[in-house]
Amino acid sequence: MTDSASMALDFEKDILEIEEKIEHLKLLAKDEDMDITRETKRLERKLSQHINRTYMNLSAWQKAQIARHPLRPHCLDYINAFIDDFTLLSGDRRFADDEAMVCGIGKIGEYAVVVIGQEKGNDVDSRIKYNFGMAKPEGYRKAQRMMDLADKFHLPVISFVDTAGAYPGVDAEARGQAEAIATSIEKCLKIKTPIISLIIGEGGSGGAIAIATANRVLMLEHSIYSVISPEGCASILWRSGDKTQEATEALRLTAQDLKALGIIDEIIKEPLGGAHRNIEQVFASVKEALLRHLKELIVISSDDLKTQRTEKFLKMGRNIGSLDIKER
């Protein structure tokens, strides 16, 4: 089995098989000097039809799988792609540096910005280093320090959200995990500078909203954003991991659901098959969207930015509350 096949999602297996047949034919033609044009075109048409049929009708659970794809670009990939002159800043000035929360200053286009993001890592060693994107209290306190810095120097904040949730370990709880998350949300609401948050993979629970209480909340097309993971929801409601797919549907965690509910402001389209299939295209789309929203927000007064952000989330709570009542 090839590396790509081993990373294929369940519903991608047929697509990978066709792609491998095409590659095999090309290698065979190269070695044997064969004309494979007709057969290659037939397989490419079949591949295109299969990809379109598969990805145009994804279930919520399939979208969740794409959001977690091991080849999906992560926070540092976006920073390296289009945040120029990025300077990494470390530590919460109280306990330690949490590498799961990446923070620093850089430039996007003509704008100097503060960047905050959760990094998951892309192999065994880096995933352990970044704790699979699950920040501890010191990570959220580092984010707060960055927001204070942004407020002091009137710099916009861009946050890249990608976490299954805040780290739930005993040591994190002992150091005040819940308080750190709550204080981060409060800090987001208090500062008088633009905040744009982008959910690039998973946006899980308070661990996500701690850096996503923003003037504009954007989501990649196949990312997910919810109060709990599908697995956690299934274990609580049904006490069974077998109900994970049902839980995914019930949570209404897709970008399309959340846009309809008024939770997010924009869905950024991904390449057919997900962000991992054309990373450069995703970087270009994300950069364009961030610059567009920065241009709109940068001209709004500091007081109005703060008021707008507060009203946005108060309205969100009222809307969801009324929705719950109607559904009961």
Side-chain angles (χ1 to χ4, degrees):
M1 183 178 285
T2 65
D3 289 342
S4 61
S6 67
M7 291 186 179
L9 303 173
D10 290 342
F11 60 91
E12 290 182 315
K13 299 292 185 184
D14 292 342
I15 292 170
L16 264 293
E17 281 182 16
I18 299 170
E19 287 178 332
E20 288 188 343
K21 283 180 183 177
I22 293 170
E23 286 304 311
H24 179 69
L25 271 177
K26 288 179 179 177
L27 288 172
L28 193 64
K30 186 177 180 182
D31 293 337
E32 304 292 337
D33 193 25
M34 296 168 56
D35 183 7
I36 57 153
T37 306
R38 186 173 177 181
E39 180 62 12
T40 302
K41 285 184 176 179
R42 185 188 72 80
L43 284 172
E44 285 175 344
R45 284 195 300 272
K46 184 179 178 182
L47 176 65
S48 178
Q49 291 167 359
H50 208 88
I51 288 175
N52 275 286
R53 188 165 57 249
T54 300
Y55 292 104
M56 295 303 286
N57 297 285
L58 292 170
S59 68
W61 174 238
Q62 287 170 334
K63 284 179 176 285
Q65 290 177 281
I66 295 174
R68 296 168 170 175
H69 198 287
L71 296 179
R72 194 173 178 85
H74 296 136
C75 173
L76 284 171
D77 296 316
Y78 289 94
I79 289 172
N80 292 331
F82 55 72
I83 303 295
D84 299 322
D85 303 322
F86 182 71
T87 301
L88 189 70
L89 298 177
S90 304
D92 67 343
R93 300 296 186 263
R94 289 176 60 177
F95 181 77
D97 181 44
D98 185 349
E99 293 191 273
M101 191 73 76
V102 175
C103 298
I105 299 174
K107 286 186 71 179
I108 177 170
E110 63 184 282
Y111 304 105
V113 293
V114 165
V115 179
I116 301 169
Q118 290 138 339
E119 173 61 36
K120 283 185 171 180
N122 51 25
D123 56 31
V124 173
D125 290 338
S126 62
R127 285 169 190 151
I128 292 170
K129 174 183 177 180
Y130 296 116
N131 200 32
F132 300 86
M134 295 185 293
K136 298 177 181 180
E138 48 272 23
Y140 293 104
R141 292 177 180 131
K142 176 166 64 170
Q144 293 166 39
R145 187 167 74 85
M146 295 304 299
M147 285 187 264
D148 281 333
L149 187 70
D151 204 27
K152 180 177 181 179
F153 293 103
H154 309 291
L155 298 174
V157 176
I158 294 174
S159 67
F160 295 100
V161 179
D162 193 12
T163 182
Y167 181 63
V170 173
D171 58 330
E173 296 297 340
R175 291 196 298 277
Q177 183 71 291
E179 180 275 337
I181 291 171
T183 308
S184 256
I185 295 170
E186 181 184 32
K187 185 69 70 176
C188 285
L189 291 169
K190 277 187 173 180
I191 67 172
K192 296 182 176 182
T193 191
I195 307 178
I196 302 172
S197 290
L198 173 66
I199 292 94
I200 57 176
E202 288 186 272
S205 193
I209 200 160
I211 62 169
T213 310
N215 294 95
R216 303 283 168 84
V217 181
L218 320 178
M219 282 183 77
L220 286 179
E221 182 182 5
H222 300 312
S223 55
I224 58 174
Y225 189 26
S226 63
V227 297
I228 192 172
S229 70
E231 294 84 356
C233 179
S235 68
I236 291 170
L237 293 185
W238 288 281
R239 299 186 183 278
S240 171
D242 295 336
K243 295 290 186 179
T244 298
Q245 294 190 37
E246 289 89 332
T248 310
E249 296 291 343
L251 284 167
R252 299 175 73 173
L253 45 59
T254 69
Q256 295 72 26
D257 284 334
L258 295 166
K259 182 69 168 65
L261 290 168
I263 304 295
I264 65 166
D265 299 288
E266 181 179 338
I267 298 171
I268 299 174
K269 190 171 178 59
E270 295 186 29
L272 197 61
H276 60 285
R277 284 186 165 264
N278 191 333
I279 291 175
E280 294 304 319
Q281 182 181 326
V282 172
F283 291 156
S285 298
V286 167
K287 182 178 181 181
E288 183 279 325
L290 291 174
L291 285 170
R292 176 164 35 84
H293 286 283
L294 273 172
K295 187 176 180 180
E296 292 172 4
L297 292 171
I298 208 79
V299 296
I300 300 174
S301 72
S302 298
D303 288 333
D304 286 346
L305 282 168
K306 181 173 178 283
T307 301
Q308 181 192 87
R309 199 180 308 129
T310 303
E311 284 300 315
K312 175 187 179 71
F313 281 84
L314 287 174
K315 181 182 177 183
M316 194 183 297
R318 289 192 293 267
N319 288 348
I320 297 301
S322 64
L323 178 66
D324 288 344
I325 291 168
K326 288 175 185 175
E327 290 191 345
R328 289 192 196 108

